[in-house]
Amino acid sequence: VHVFQAQQLPPSDLNGSADPYVVIRFNGQRKRLDHVTKSCDPVYNETVEFDTVMYKESSLKPRVTFDVYDADTWNEDDFIGSVTTPILADEETLDDWNDPTQPWPPVKPAPKSLVLQRNGAPTKGRLLVGFQLVRGTDKPESFGASPLSSPAGRARDAKVSSVMKLQRPLPADYCKPLERMTYVEVIGLGLRDLKASGIRPVQHPALELRLGNQTLTMKPRPGTKSTSSDPNFLSRAVFEAVLPMDATYMPSIGISVRDGVLRGFGFGGSILGSSSISLAPFMPKTIAAEHAADGPPVPEAPGFVYLDNPLFASGGAKARVGNPFRPGAPSGRVHRHSDADTNHHPPADGKESEEEAMRRKLTEAITPSFLKGREVLDHEIELDIGCLPWREYSIYRGTYSLEFLQSKKQTSLEDSVREVGTFKGLIRVLDKHPETTPSEELDHPQLPSAVEDLFRGSAKDRTIHVHLYILQAMRLNAGDTSGRADPYLRIRWGDDVINLRDKAKADTLEPQFFERIDLKVRVPGVSTVWIDVLDADGLGAGGGSVGLGLRDDLIGSTCIDLEDRWFSENWHDMGVDGDAQEVKRPVETRELYTPEEPHSQGALRLWIDMIPASRAREYIPIPISPPQQEEWEVRLIVWKAKFQMRSIGADMVTGMIDMYFKGKLAQQEIQETDTHLRINNGKGSWNWRMKFPVSLPAAVTDEGGGYFHLEAWDVDMLWNE
């Protein structure tokens, strides 16, 4: 049994790390590997031998169990996870391993990646292992001459394959993959939203990077106006490391966040949290080409061995969308439409019919001026921004080693660790030193110029004026027992809060806010904005404090990372009119979530303008008050109807129906057509007109404004259907 390494084990100790070791159980035997100190990605490269007897029946295929523990000095070792797997594949038999002519040492087996489980639920940790069976030259002692000399003994021997102790030991480096010298560059933007480990706030954070036996440290750059919970590093760290040429065996970089009063004087400080980042997706093309020449065939991929990494194309990762409380959850609707639905396009022949002219005039009347020519998306704009120049990595802190504080009903390690912050940065594995090689000669895409200037020190953090235009909320979940809500907005960024409870919209699930909120942020730095929609009844148990000391209900929240947008070249190109030099950022629809519910609780429609402080005086705020309503008349003419008699339930005696139509617009009185009597062929005619006065644009509310309802009825003697 070859144990190569463990990958991305959850931090089991409160110091944000682990001291993992592996216990291997097979056919009643148990063997243990030595523990690796302070690593969530330990590399073992060890081989364990089991002398045993195995049966050839497919139903008795041997299985091996791996248990991973965290070694503790004073307490009982913590259980991290376990996995059981068969040694032989489904189509393999013991006879496949009984070739006496196999070379020595035997060909190294292909590694298997096994996901660890805890209490029946998968964890994020994995084991990389391999298996070999080597047939022994002698019969097992348990099958002596007496059993084998009898017919029963010979029949039993035919069903048994003996696996004995290897006659020759394997080479010391048998498990090690092919390696070569590389340079691992870590570009750190900073840490975001750090949370303290106790009552003491975060004071002097630093990022510790570990690769093998090397350790490098990133500290906040002097001169940048960052906070202790959102420090800016704007620096590089380069490891010279001998790494595998096969991405399957690539190790991970361990990252830890240290903090403490004494850390500012050069001491290590306590660990707030840690994480690990696999280097497998970052292998450059040159290393892949060398391995392809010396090793097994490599499938076609954009520059990597076995793994297709989206970072290679742009140097960054896709912006996160969806539930901010549950990363990875779906973001809701992903369909897209543009302003073609609201802007009139004249006919190709230049002639406009009376109906088209009326439709154009109506469209112009009901479309607010601030939406004309502006693209409207029915999803988060992050789906269109695409790749960012960096990636985000969550920092976790382990808690489950304190068993007396934990529920015995925990089913996975995700219940036992919590996210305490985020590291924003970029990792590159290069075949040349990045500081002594021109960027155009590196086998990796170049960074955007704005980001490159930050890390080279030629640019500093800057103040950005943000104009947040919130138009309306849609599909809100009811916050009151009446099935309605009184929604209002709350905007949070850093330590600042804007509460608009005094502008709550009464008794609606489709509020129209039309609010412009102006705020200032520094990028890079504290630039994450939370928009909360709350129900202003003062009787719930969530949200923000109000009134008599009670708390409003939180309907839902959305989170916007302004820093990611500002450094995205794609975002700066959105809504730019090349002819008029006018910028109209798209209107986006953002789903709302709560920590308790995985599904969307509604949506907000908004857009964001961001202007550097040096140009803030040039910006003219856009008025977004709803347009004045005009009086119009809705006319509906019911000419004919065609239908299946069986599907609508004709009279059982006569086989006929007496049909009429009802029309309703908002809260106006219901209007009806006359009744077409004794329809027996599924066809009816009315030639009836209904007229409804209406104010446009209509208020789209849960009372039915903006929607026309038409119903077909059948007249009966007792009641109408």
Side-chain angles (χ1 to χ4, degrees):
V1 178
H2 307 288
V3 182
F4 300 108
Q5 57 188 268
Q7 300 171 340
Q8 298 184 334
L9 298 179
S12 57
D13 295 335
L14 289 178
N15 64 3
S17 185
D19 306 310
Y21 64 88
V22 181
V23 175
I24 309 167
R25 293 183 284 131
F26 177 67
N27 273 10
Q29 302 180 52
R30 182 180 184 273
K31 296 189 177 183
R32 168 182 167 170
L33 303 183
D34 293 335
H35 73 272
V36 177
T37 305
K38 294 182 179 179
S39 175
C40 292
D41 300 270
V43 176
Y44 298 102
N45 285 336
E46 294 190 31
T47 298
V48 176
E49 300 175 8
F50 291 92
D51 303 332
T52 186
V53 174
M54 292 185 293
Y55 292 87
K56 294 183 178 180
E57 282 85 349
S58 59
S59 60
L60 300 177
K61 282 187 176 181
R63 300 173 67 86
V64 62
T65 298
F66 299 90
D67 301 319
V68 182
Y69 292 88
D70 170 42
D72 285 337
T73 303
W74 307 109
N75 300 323
E76 182 180 354
D77 293 349
D78 294 318
F79 175 65
I80 295 179
S82 177
V83 61
T84 300
T85 182
I87 291 180
L88 302 178
D90 293 338
E91 65 278 3
E92 279 188 315
T93 65
L94 289 176
D95 292 332
D96 297 331
W97 293 86
N98 287 343
D99 183 6
T101 64
Q102 63 179 334
W104 191 267
V107 178
K108 186 166 58 177
K112 297 176 63 176
S113 181
L114 307 176
V115 179
L116 296 175
Q117 294 192 342
R118 185 168 184 256
N119 293 344
T123 71
K124 294 182 178 179
R126 292 176 176 267
L127 274 180
L128 202 63
V129 301
F131 304 108
Q132 283 176 320
L133 295 178
V134 181
R135 184 176 176 84
T137 57
D138 299 322
K139 296 297 181 181
E141 296 179 359
S142 58
F143 292 91
S146 175
L148 293 177
S149 61
S150 64
R154 287 192 295 272
R156 180 173 58 179
D157 180 53
K159 299 181 179 180
V160 174
S161 174
S162 62
V163 179
M164 304 297 293
K165 185 176 181 63
L166 300 179
Q167 299 302 311
R168 290 171 288 176
L170 293 171
D173 60 349
Y174 180 73
C175 285
K176 294 187 63 176
L178 294 175
E179 298 175 324
R180 64 159 290 170
M181 174 62 71
T182 59
Y183 300 91
V184 180
E185 179 188 39
V186 181
I187 303 175
L189 180 71
L191 294 168
R192 297 293 177 260
D193 195 25
L194 283 182
K195 300 176 179 61
S197 59
I199 59 175
R200 179 177 58 82
V202 180
Q203 295 177 315
H204 300 281
L207 186 70
E208 185 179 86
L209 305 168
R210 301 182 307 278
L211 180 59
N213 57 0
Q214 303 180 65
T215 301
L216 300 176
T217 302
M218 286 186 180
K219 300 178 182 179
R221 176 189 285 186
T224 59
K225 297 182 180 180
S226 57
T227 64
S228 57
S229 59
D230 295 84
N232 292 329
F233 298 136
L234 306 182
S235 59
R236 303 171 185 257
V238 180
F239 293 94
E240 294 186 13
V242 178
L243 295 181
M245 298 175 65
D246 186 341
T248 308
Y249 300 96
M250 286 289 271
S252 298
I253 285 185
I255 59 176
S256 299
V257 179
R258 291 186 175 271
D259 178 49
V261 177
L262 297 180
R263 207 209 61 74
F265 299 94
F267 294 90
S270 60
I271 294 182
L272 288 181
S274 63
S275 187
S276 60
I277 306 171
S278 174
L279 294 178
F282 308 114
M283 181 175 289
K285 289 185 288 187
T286 53
I287 299 179
E290 286 190 29
H291 178 66
D294 300 333
V298 180
E300 291 294 329
F304 303 100
V305 179
Y306 303 129
L307 299 174
D308 182 2
N309 175 26
L311 293 178
F312 188 83
S314 64
K318 291 184 178 180
R320 283 202 279 184
V321 296
N323 190 339
F325 306 105
R326 299 169 182 256
S331 61
R333 300 171 299 163
V334 294
H335 304 291
R336 175 177 178 173
H337 65 88
S338 67
D339 55 353
D341 297 331
T342 56
N343 291 348
H344 174 72
H345 298 274
D349 58 4
K351 298 181 180 180
E352 189 178 51
S353 65
E354 181 180 354
E355 181 181 354
E356 290 173 336
M358 180 68 70
R359 187 180 300 276
R360 175 181 54 79
K361 188 175 180 181
L362 175 61
T363 301
E364 293 175 353
I366 66 176
T367 301
S369 59
F370 55 81
L371 286 182
K372 294 179 179 179
R374 190 181 298 273
E375 187 177 17
V376 179
L377 309 175
D378 63 355
H379 56 264
E380 289 88 348
I381 205 172
E382 283 83 356
L383 293 173
D384 294 342
I385 289 177
C387 290
L388 302 172
W390 49 69
R391 191 168 182 172
E392 297 183 11
Y393 302 95
S394 297
I395 307 296
Y396 296 98
R397 183 175 179 84
T399 60
Y400 73 84
S401 58
L402 297 180
E403 294 293 343
F404 63 91
L405 292 178
Q406 301 299 316
S407 169
K408 301 300 182 181
K409 297 182 180 180
Q410 290 178 349
T411 59
S412 70
L413 290 178
E414 295 182 1
D415 300 329
S416 308
V417 297
R418 63 188 182 98
E419 184 175 335
V420 295
T422 302
F423 168 61
K424 281 189 176 183
L426 179 64
I427 296 177
R428 306 196 292 183
V429 179
L430 308 169
D431 57 351
K432 300 178 182 179
H433 200 292
E435 296 181 354
T436 59
T437 306
S439 58
E440 60 271 12
E441 297 182 12
L442 295 176
D443 191 13
H444 206 283
Q446 299 184 30
L447 294 174
S449 58
V451 179
E452 186 73 28
D453 292 342
L454 278 176
F455 294 108
R456 293 192 180 277
S458 56
K460 296 183 179 180
D461 54 340
R462 61 196 305 184
T463 299
I464 303 298
H465 290 238
V466 180
H467 304 278
L468 184 61
Y469 295 89
I470 304 178
L471 304 181
Q472 63 184 125
M474 303 170 291
R475 302 181 276 109
L476 296 182
N477 275 1
D480 299 335
T481 56
S482 63
R484 305 291 179 85
D486 305 309
Y488 69 94
L489 297 172
R490 183 179 65 187
I491 295 86
R492 299 178 283 130
W493 74 104
D495 296 329
D496 298 311
V497 179
I498 295 179
N499 196 316
L500 301 180
R501 191 178 191 276
D502 58 333
K503 297 183 178 181
K505 306 300 180 180
D507 205 26
T508 180
L509 299 179
E510 303 275 344
Q512 299 190 24
F513 295 113
F514 294 103
E515 293 286 347
R516 190 192 83 227
I517 294 95
D518 301 329
L519 49 95
K520 298 179 182 179
V521 299
R522 295 194 68 85
V523 292
V526 184
S527 55
T528 300
V529 175
W530 286 83
I531 305 176
D532 306 323
V533 179
L534 301 102
D535 178 20
D537 54 18
L539 299 176
S545 301
V546 297
L548 302 176
L550 301 175
R551 301 174 68 85
D552 290 348
D553 288 320
L554 175 66
I555 298 177
S557 301
T558 185
C559 177
I560 304 174
D561 193 324
L562 301 178
E563 182 177 64
D564 286 350
R565 296 194 182 194
W566 182 256
F567 288 105
S568 168
E569 296 179 347
N570 291 340
W571 183 83
H572 283 281
D573 293 337
M574 289 183 174
V576 177
D577 188 340
D579 297 331
Q581 294 297 316
E582 185 179 11
V583 178
K584 290 188 175 183
R585 302 294 181 199
V587 175
E588 58 183 305
T589 304
R590 304 192 63 86
E591 302 296 320
L592 300 172
Y593 297 94
T594 64
E596 296 80 15
E597 296 293 336
H599 305 295
S600 173
Q601 304 299 299
L604 271 182
R605 182 158 285 177
L606 55 91
W607 88 82
I608 296 176
D609 287 341
M610 292 192 288
I611 311 296
S614 59
R615 295 176 46 206
R617 293 185 178 181
E618 303 175 9
Y619 182 80
I620 301 177
I622 302 173
I624 59 169
S625 57
Q628 294 183 354
Q629 292 183 324
E630 295 184 3
E631 297 303 319
W632 291 73
E633 185 176 73
V634 175
R635 298 175 181 176
L636 173 73
I637 301 177
V638 182
W639 293 104
K640 299 178 180 180
K642 182 187 295 186
F643 42 86
Q644 294 290 335
M645 298 291 289
R646 293 181 180 179
S647 63
I648 63 174
D651 187 273
M652 297 180 61
V653 178
T654 64
M656 302 179 183
I657 59 173
D658 304 320
M659 180 178 286
Y660 70 98
F661 285 88
K662 290 183 178 181
K664 179 183 179 183
L665 181 63
Q667 298 300 310
Q668 299 187 40
E669 182 179 353
I670 296 176
Q671 298 188 29
E672 300 178 357
T673 67
D674 61 350
T675 302
H676 188 132
L677 300 173
R678 304 179 67 79
I679 300 176
N680 61 1
N681 59 359
K683 297 180 180 179
S685 60
W686 287 264
N687 301 337
W688 192 276
R689 184 177 69 177
M690 304 178 187
K691 298 191 298 183
F692 298 87
V694 62
S695 298
L696 295 178
V700 182
T701 66
D702 47 308
E703 287 82 11
Y707 293 90
F708 184 87
H709 300 270
L710 184 66
E711 300 173 350
W713 287 75
D714 176 28
V715 178
D716 285 335
M717 294 183 61
L718 299 179
W719 58 76
N720 296 343
E721 298 176 342

